[in-house]
Amino acid sequence: TLDRPSFEKTVAGTCAECTVLYANAQQDAARQQQQAESFLIRGADVLVLAAVDAQAALSIVAAATARGVPVIAYDRYLEDPDVAYYISFDPARVGRLQAQALVDGLEARGITTGGILVAHGAVTDANSPGLSQSVMGVLGSTDLTILAETTISDWSPDKAQEWVATQL
């Protein structure tokens, strides 16, 4: 969702006759399947897929491939040889930057000790281990205490908030 304006601007600047069809599945893998099928039926030439669930998304790749539509896996690695491209970020670097921003923000408030909760990304996402290792590496070099940690399925903000509320 955050990348959408930049993505659409880049497409428009590269291909004036192209139209971007957009949908957000709101962390619902079944809804994403329906949206992808709809775009394929409407004649999509390329499918850019930020998979809600990397395993569930394999059926989307199969449906697109059957129609001769290339799939670009965006931000979530999809273990499928039919994926034409994979575009993502450096998870180790992002994890270090996120954790360091947290540590710096706490230090700016005079907080160098205390307990924190850590919510890691989805185990179905190949980016999660690199993010988690880097985050824990930075946090492990501080005097902060990790009170609890978990993984959040589908990177769901709602599930993360629910977990944090339960911990508190």
Side-chain angles (χ1 to χ4, degrees), residues 130-153:
L131 278 164
S132 295
Q133 289 170 352
S134 297
V135 165
M136 298 308 282
V138 171
L139 296 178
S141 67
T142 70
D143 290 327
L144 297 168
T145 301
I146 297 169
L147 300 174
E149 62 182 302
T150 191
T151 58
I152 304 296
S153 63

Side-chain angles (χ1 to χ4, degrees), residues 31-132:
R31 180 184 292 165
Q32 187 169 57
Q33 177 77 38
Q34 293 168 345
Q35 291 168 339
E37 288 173 6
S38 171
F39 289 155
L40 292 170
I41 289 168
R42 291 168 62 186
D45 295 315
V46 176
L47 193 61
V48 179
L49 179 62
V52 170
D53 178 317
Q55 292 302 312
L58 297 180
S59 63
I60 296 172
V61 175
T65 300
R67 291 177 177 263
V69 175
V71 175
I72 299 172
Y74 185 79
D75 262 355
R76 299 267 164 69
Y77 179 75
L78 299 176
E79 187 79 36
D80 191 310
D82 289 326
V83 170
Y85 296 97
Y86 169 55
I87 301 169
S88 193
F89 56 91
D90 178 346
R93 182 167 188 246
V94 169
R96 282 191 304 276
L97 291 170
Q98 288 177 338
Q100 194 59 56
L102 171 66
V103 170
D104 293 347
L106 291 172
E107 286 178 356
R109 291 171 177 78
I111 302 168
T112 58
T113 62
I116 61 172
L117 301 172
V118 180
H120 299 284
V123 295
T124 57
D125 185 341
N127 291 318
S128 290
L131 278 164
S132 295

